[in-house]
Amino acid sequence: METKIIYRTDPEQYLTEILEANGFNRLIPSGYIIDKTEPGVGATQSEILDETRNSIILEPFKAVIEVKQAKFKNLLGVCQGVKVKDITAYLRSDIFPKKIMVTPESFEKVITALSSYDPNYRQNYFMLIDECEKLVQDCVFRKRILNPNEEFLQFTNKALISATPSQQILETFKDFKKLKVIPTYTFQKNLNLLVTNNIRFVARNIVIEHSDDKPYFIFTNCKKTIAYMAKMEGVKDDYSIFCAQDLDENFFQNQGIGNVKYSVVEQKYSRYNFFTSRFFSAVDMFLPDNIEKAHVLMISNLVEARHSAIDPSIDAVQIFGRIRRIKGVDKIATTTHLTNLNPIKAFENEAGVLDELDKEVELVKLLRDCAEKTLDPQIKILIESLQERLFADKTFNDDGTPNEFYEANFKSKRSLMFQYTTGLNLLMRYKQVPFFRTTIHEVNEPFSDADRLSLKRANGPLKRQTIAMCLHHIMESYTGFNRYDDVNMGYHLETLEKMDSLTFKAFFALGIDHLFKVKFNAGQMKKDLFASKQNENNPLLMIDRIITTFPLNIPVYCDEAKN
C-alpha cells in the first residue's frame, strides 16, 4: 500500500491545519485511509464544520452521534428511532451543506432517502468511515456493521480514518492509499500495566490508595466487575454507569444497581464513572471546569469475561483519547490497565496461534464441502454439528463463502488472547504501540479470581475443602513470609467468611488437618466446633486467634485493646 507521511508539529494543531501545512487543502482527502496516530485531532469536527461539500460520516455507536449532534445544530444524527421521512425532511431543508452522521445499522435509511431525493448522491456526497478498525473488531457479533461497505465503495469521494487503523483494514481496502500523521513532538503517554490474579482485590486497593479528589473514568467490558465495584464502600455513594439500555434492563437492574445512563451527552459525571465498550471509541468526554484532571482505569477480567480483553494497540489508545484535551493539555492524571491473565495457555508463541487458526479455517472449509456433497441427511447433520463447534465457522457468510472481515476478526481475537497468557507477552504488545510508555507491576495474591470462580461453582464437601485450602494459603502467605498487612489479609478472610462461615470458623478453631480427617462433613464440623467452644483455653485455638487479631508489627492502642 502506498503511504504518504505528514507531520503534526504542535499538539494544538487540528487535522485541517495539519493537512494544509503538508500540501493538502483543508479537506479530508479522498481515496485515503488516514492514520491520525493520536485521537482527538478534530477530524470529524472539521468535516462537520466544512462549508464546501455534503458529507455522510459513519460512526460505530449512537453515543458518538448524540454528543456531536448536541454540539452542531447543522448535523443530522441518524440512529435507532430516526425514520426515512425525518431524513427526507432534512434533505429538503435550506441547510447547506448537508452533514449526516449515521450508525451502520441505520445507514440503509439514509441511502433510501437519498436515492429518492438525489439520484446522484454518490457523486454529490463525501463519505467518511470513522474509527474504521471497528469494521474488523466488531463484525462477528455485530454483522450489520459491514452493511455499508458495498455502498461506500461506490462513492466517488470517500475515506476511512482512525488513530488506530488495524493492519487488517489496510489489507482489506487495498485500493486506498495510507496517509500517516506523525507528531514531531514527544506525544507518548505513561501507562501503568498492573497484572494480577485478583482483580477485585487490586481494584479495591487502587480506589483506596488514590484518595485525592480527582474523578475516576473506569473502562471495562466486564459487567460483573462493574457491579462489584459499584457496591464497594467509598464508591457506592458517588458513581455512574454508562452502558446500553438492554444491559441495564437485563443485568444491572436485576442486581439492584442504579445510576445507569445511556449517553454522555449531558457531560455530567460522578466521582466514579464506569463505561462499557460502546464508549471506548470516538465519544467526546469533557471534564467540568472545576476538575483539572481525572484518573483513567482500564480493566480486563478474562477469568470472568474473555471478551473484556482490551487491545493495547486499539482499545487502550482510543480510551485514552475519550477525555478531550483543552488547549493541547491532557486532562488525564494517571492511566492504568488492570488485568488478570488468560487461563487457557494453548500455544508457546503467536506463530503457533496463527498457524492453528489457518488449519481451523481449512478444516471448516473441508467440513462444509463434505456436508454439501453427502447425500445422507444424518451424516450431513453430524458434519454440520461438528463445524458449528469450531469458532472458525463464524468466518464464513451464511451462503458458505468466506468473509475476509470475519476471518480477520477471528485471527486478531485469537492473537490478542495469546498476548494475555503472560504479563511479559502483554507488555511486549504494549511496547509495540508507540502511543504509550509502559511499565509493568505484578500483584499475585494467595486468593485468586480463579479460586473465587471455582468456589461459586462448587458445593458440599468440595466447596468446604477448597475454602479451607484457600484459608491455609492465605495464612501461609501473610504469616509465613512476614507479610503482616492486616487490611489486605482481612479483605481475603472476610471474602471467604461470607462464602462459608462454618468452614471459616472450623478452620481456625479445629485446624485444617482435623477438617480433612472428618472429610469436611458439615454435620461433624458443627459438632466438633461446638465441642471446641467448651474449651476456650485450647492453646492451638489461642494461637490462631492471636495471629488473626494482632498481626505483627501493627501497633495496638490501649482503647483498641480494651474493646
Side-chain angles (χ1 to χ4, degrees), residues 259-507:
N259 300 335
V260 179
K261 304 175 182 179
Y262 313 137
S263 171
V264 300
V265 68
E266 293 182 350
Q267 299 293 340
K268 292 182 180 179
Y269 302 106
S270 303
R271 174 79 189 279
Y272 300 96
N273 305 278
F274 300 91
F275 303 91
T276 58
S277 59
R278 64 173 45 211
F279 296 92
F280 286 10
S281 301
V283 183
D284 295 337
M285 301 178 189
F286 297 96
L287 295 181
D289 294 338
N290 62 327
I291 300 296
E292 183 182 354
K293 289 179 180 289
H295 298 293
V296 169
L297 174 60
M298 301 177 277
I299 302 178
S300 303
N301 187 346
L302 277 73
V303 172
E304 292 194 283
R306 294 186 71 197
H307 63 269
S308 68
I310 286 172
D311 190 330
S313 62
I314 297 177
D315 299 320
V317 177
Q318 291 289 347
I319 287 169
F320 186 92
R322 291 314 95 230
I323 302 177
R324 292 308 196 186
R325 290 176 294 190
I326 304 297
K327 296 182 178 178
V329 178
D330 285 332
K331 306 294 284 184
I332 296 176
T334 62
T335 305
T336 302
H337 182 183
L338 170 63
T339 184
N340 49 26
L341 296 175
N342 180 9
I344 301 173
K345 300 177 175 65
F347 298 96
E348 294 184 1
N349 54 61
E350 190 170 4
V353 175
L354 297 177
D355 182 56
E356 184 68 19
L357 296 181
D358 290 334
K359 290 177 181 177
E360 192 171 324
V361 170
E362 289 303 315
L363 177 58
V364 171
K365 289 179 181 178
L366 178 62
L367 289 172
R368 282 179 173 270
D369 185 54
C370 291
E372 192 174 304
K373 291 179 178 178
T374 184
L375 300 177
D376 189 323
Q378 294 300 320
I379 293 178
K380 184 180 181 69
I381 292 172
L382 176 61
I383 293 173
E384 289 177 347
S385 67
L386 286 173
Q387 72 185 45
E388 286 172 2
R389 292 174 179 269
L390 298 170
F391 188 82
D393 187 56
K394 294 181 174 64
T395 66
F396 292 82
N397 295 313
D398 293 338
D399 63 2
T401 57
N403 186 304
E404 58 186 334
F405 286 93
Y406 296 164
E407 186 170 342
N409 172 282
F410 177 54
K411 290 183 176 181
S412 64
K413 294 295 184 187
R414 287 289 184 89
S415 176
L416 182 60
M417 287 299 100
F418 171 76
Q419 307 304 328
Y420 272 87
T421 55
T422 70
L424 181 60
N425 283 348
L426 192 55
L427 177 63
M428 290 300 100
R429 180 85 164 211
Y430 265 110
K431 294 292 186 183
Q432 294 169 5
V433 181
F435 191 81
F436 292 111
R437 289 187 296 262
T438 306
T439 56
I440 187 172
H441 298 87
E442 298 198 29
V443 181
N444 289 308
E445 291 296 318
F447 183 60
S448 69
D449 295 317
D451 292 332
R452 178 171 47 78
L453 203 59
S454 66
L455 284 173
K456 281 189 175 182
R457 294 170 177 168
N459 53 57
L462 177 59
K463 180 175 182 178
R464 291 188 285 273
Q465 178 179 330
T466 305
I467 287 177
M469 289 305 300
C470 288
L471 288 168
H472 179 68
H473 293 153
I474 290 169
M475 297 308 297
E476 275 195 338
S477 177
Y478 281 94
T479 60
F481 296 96
N482 296 320
R483 292 177 59 198
Y484 300 108
D485 184 338
D486 58 332
V487 176
N488 292 340
M489 183 173 74
Y491 167 82
H492 294 311
L493 294 178
E494 182 182 356
T495 300
L496 289 167
E497 184 177 18
K498 287 179 180 178
M499 289 184 169
D500 189 329
S501 61
L502 171 63
T503 304
F504 182 86
K505 292 174 183 177
F507 174 86

Side-chain angles (χ1 to χ4, degrees), residues 193 375 515 556:
L193 176 61
L375 300 177
L515 298 185
V556 179

Side-chain angles (χ1 to χ4, degrees), residues 207-234:
V207 170
I208 291 173
E209 287 174 7
H210 285 105
S211 57
D212 57 34
D213 58 356
K214 297 181 180 66
Y216 271 87
F217 282 59
I218 302 168
F219 297 82
T220 181
N221 222 22
C222 179
K223 61 187 180 183
K224 292 181 180 179
T225 298
I226 295 175
Y228 169 77
M229 294 187 70
K231 295 178 180 179
M232 282 171 46
E233 289 294 332

Side-chain angles (χ1 to χ4, degrees), residues 84-152:
V84 172
K85 66 179 183 179
D86 301 321
I87 304 169
T88 302
Y90 174 80
L91 295 175
R92 290 173 176 168
S93 71
D94 294 333
I95 295 174
F96 179 82
K98 310 296 185 196
K99 302 293 179 179
I100 301 173
M101 188 171 277
V102 59
T103 60
E105 289 79 2
S106 292
F107 182 72
E108 186 177 348
K109 292 184 286 188
V110 172
I111 297 305
T112 299
L114 279 171
S115 299
S116 300
Y117 182 77
D118 181 4
N120 296 318
Y121 67 88
R122 290 172 181 156
Q123 291 75 43
N124 295 336
Y125 280 78
F126 172 79
M127 185 168 174
L128 177 68
I129 297 182
D130 192 22
E131 311 305 352
C132 57
E133 73 282 347
K134 286 292 179 184
L135 296 176
V136 168
Q137 204 175 28
D138 291 1
C139 65
V140 169
F141 70 88
R142 189 185 170 195
K143 294 188 176 182
R144 291 177 67 190
I145 199 170
L146 299 178
N147 287 0
N149 284 8
E150 185 176 346
E151 183 69 38
F152 167 71

Side-chain angles (χ1 to χ4, degrees), residues 60-78:
F61 298 111
K62 175 183 176 181
V64 182
I65 297 173
E66 290 172 331
V67 176
K68 296 294 187 185
Q69 193 170 23
K71 185 176 181 180
F72 302 104
K73 301 306 178 186
N74 66 321
L75 176 68
L76 175 67
V78 182

